[in-house]
Amino acid sequence: MNDTIIKTKKQEMDFLRFMSKLGYDLVDLNVVETFNWGSITLDDQKMMDKRHSWTDGGILHALRSDWTNSIVRYRKQYELEAEKIAYAGMVYKKSGTIHQMGVETFTSDIAAQQEVLSDVLAFMTEHLKKNISIAVISHNKLLKKLLTKDQMEDPMIHRLVSERNRDALSHALSKDHPVIGLMQVRPEDQLEYIAGRFPELAQEIEDLKVWEDKLRKLSIENVYIDTLVMPRQSYYRGIFIQLYQKNETEPQASGGQYTSSSKAFGMGING
C-alpha cells in the first residue's frame, strides 16, 4: 500500500511539473463542491445521480466526480483567464474512486487543442511508459442526428448501441432505421454512408478527418473513426477521443471538445 501511494503521488508531481514547464496553470480544488439549486447546469443535473451528494441547510453538497465540470465552474466563479490548466487528484463516483491527471484548454483554435493532445501523449510516453497504439474518435453530433432526443437519453438504447446489438435495436427502433443501416456497413465506409444521407453533417465529417490526420502524425498506429461510439460525458459538444494500448479494452486516456463560456478541449489520463 505504501509503495502504491508513493507511486501515485510521484506521478502527480511529475505530471504537474511537466505541464507547468509547458506553460499550463495548475489548479487544486476542494473535494467537496457546493451547488445552488437555482443555477445548477443541465450537465450537473445529469451527473448528480452518479455523485455522492447530500443536503445541509437547504444547500446541496457533493464530492467531486468530474474534474472538467469542477474547473469550468471554478474558472467562471473567479473569472480566471488562464487558457491552459492542468490538474491531478481523485474523483469520487458512486461506481468507485478514480485517480486522474489531465488538462483543459479554453480556446476554439483547433491547432491549440491538438497541441494539448500532443502534450498529454508526450507525458504518457515519456513518464508513464505507455505505448498508445490505438485511437478511437467520433463526433457527438453524428448519433444526435441519427437518434431522437428521447432515444439518446434512453439507457437501453445506449446499451444496445454500445453492444452493437443490431437485432435488439431493430425491434427498439425499426429495421430501416439509419443506425441499423450504419451497422451494416464496414467501419471505414461509415462516414461515406452518413455523408450520403445527411449532407448537413459535412463540417462534422471534415472535423473528424482533421483529427484523424493529427493522431496519425502523432505516430498512433491505428486510428479508427467509430460513428457509433457514445461519448462518456454528456457535456461533449464535438470531437471526442479515446486512447488505448494494444490488447486493452479500457482507454488509458479520453477527452474531447465541449463548450464552457467559449469553446474548450480537455484530455484526462485514467489512473
Side-chain angles (χ1 to χ4, degrees), residues 196-212:
R197 288 158 179 79
F198 301 99
E200 63 270 31
L201 291 174
Q203 183 58 58
E204 287 74 20
I205 290 172
E206 179 60 28
D207 291 346
L208 280 166
K209 292 177 179 178
V210 167
W211 282 87
E212 177 188 25

Side-chain angles (χ1 to χ4, degrees), residues 126-171:
E126 296 171 21
H127 290 265
L128 301 183
K129 307 303 179 185
K130 302 286 188 182
N131 180 20
I132 302 300
S133 60
I134 300 170
V136 178
I137 58 175
S138 193
H139 197 296
N140 86 305
K141 287 189 178 180
L142 300 186
L143 273 180
K144 286 179 72 173
K145 187 68 179 179
L146 274 60
L147 296 170
T148 67
K149 184 176 183 294
D150 288 342
Q151 290 167 347
M152 284 292 294
E153 295 177 355
D154 187 330
M156 182 189 71
I157 299 297
H158 266 244
R159 178 176 58 81
L160 295 177
V161 171
S162 298
E163 295 173 352
R164 306 297 199 266
N165 192 329
R166 196 167 69 192
D167 290 339
L169 279 169
S170 295
H171 293 289

